[in-house]
Amino acid sequence: LHLSPWLWFLVGFTPLLYWLRDARSRRIGAVFVVATALFGAFGLHTTVWSAYQKLVGRDLPHGYRIDISDAFYQAAFDLSPQSIKELGYNPLPHYDWEFEGRGNAERVLIVGAGSGNDVAAALRSGAKHVDAVDIDGAIVQLGREHHPEHPYADPRVTVILDDARNAFKRLQPQSYDVLVFGLLDSHTQLGASSVRLDNYV
């Protein structure tokens, strides 16, 4: 449901007040429940609880950073020609390298599309259609709201919220000029292991 913990504290603790015997105990219990909910309600940055993980978003000078479970995961950067010209260099050239020499890449499939950097790069390269697959709709939504280039607002982009392996089975038979494996790894679940989700996909 993408609901914050403070609401679950209320849902979980409020029924326990029933077992407190007198009015004074119930008042003290109610204060405890409200204090617990308030403790979980306030944060310095945007916090979203997806079906999979805790996402914390914060503004950057030229983009938007997303942490998962308090560890850095990805950042949505403005890598448009205008921004690169202002910076004087491209801080993340590998996004454009994916499409170098592929000016005729009309159809692009991106799995693990995340907040949209690969999608933005495909659009900058002139792709006529991009299928962007990601399992976590909350990350895609953060990209919709905060990516400086707004790639998910482009009519050439179709977002598919699905597991990459399942998406391969469900996509209509067609050919793609470029297939990009984006941010497929679960990061904190398997990040300390040599096993990555990319291998299964």
Side-chain angles (χ1 to χ4, degrees):
L1 296 175
H2 296 189
L3 299 174
S4 297
W6 70 267
L7 182 59
W8 295 117
F9 283 133
L10 284 180
V11 170
F13 285 130
T14 301
L16 298 178
L17 298 177
Y18 173 79
W19 281 281
L20 298 177
R21 296 178 184 243
D22 56 69
R24 182 174 180 272
S25 297
R26 286 197 184 106
R27 283 195 299 273
I28 293 172
V31 168
F32 170 77
V33 170
V34 170
T36 303
L38 288 174
F39 180 76
F42 295 105
L44 297 175
H45 306 286
T46 302
T47 301
V48 177
W49 295 84
S50 79
Y52 304 97
Q53 53 219 346
K54 171 188 173 186
L55 305 169
V56 178
R58 62 194 78 200
D59 290 317
L60 296 173
H62 291 277
Y64 192 75
R65 170 180 168 150
I66 299 174
D67 294 348
I68 288 181
S69 300
D70 302 315
F72 173 74
Y73 182 52
Q74 60 182 275
F77 279 109
D78 185 355
L79 301 175
S80 64
Q82 302 92 328
S83 178
I84 297 302
K85 188 175 180 180
E86 287 175 19
L87 285 171
Y89 72 104
N90 187 342
L92 298 169
H94 59 279
Y95 285 109
D96 291 328
W97 291 346
E98 296 168 343
F99 301 97
E100 268 189 11
R102 299 179 185 271
N104 61 343
E106 294 189 3
R107 296 190 61 80
V108 176
L109 173 64
I110 300 170
V111 291
S115 56
N117 285 332
D118 294 293
V119 178
L123 296 173
R124 286 195 305 272
S125 75
K128 292 185 178 175
H129 183 80
V130 179
D131 284 333
V133 178
D134 201 281
I135 195 171
D136 197 332
I139 291 180
V140 172
Q141 187 59 35
L142 286 173
R144 283 187 198 279
E145 295 173 2
H146 299 285
H147 197 292
E149 294 184 67
H150 305 289
Y152 289 127
D154 194 295
R156 295 173 288 170
V157 176
T158 300
V159 174
I160 300 166
L161 296 178
D162 201 351
D163 175 86
R165 292 170 295 179
N166 196 48
F168 281 135
K169 298 174 187 174
R170 296 177 57 190
L171 287 168
Q172 294 297 317
Q174 58 193 325
S175 62
Y176 290 96
D177 300 301
V178 178
L179 168 59
V180 176
F181 276 31
L183 295 157
L184 285 170
D185 190 47
S186 64
H187 191 58
T188 53
Q189 293 298 316
L190 299 174
S193 165
S194 61
V195 179
R196 292 177 59 87
L197 295 184
D198 321 38
N199 299 328
Y200 296 102
V201 175

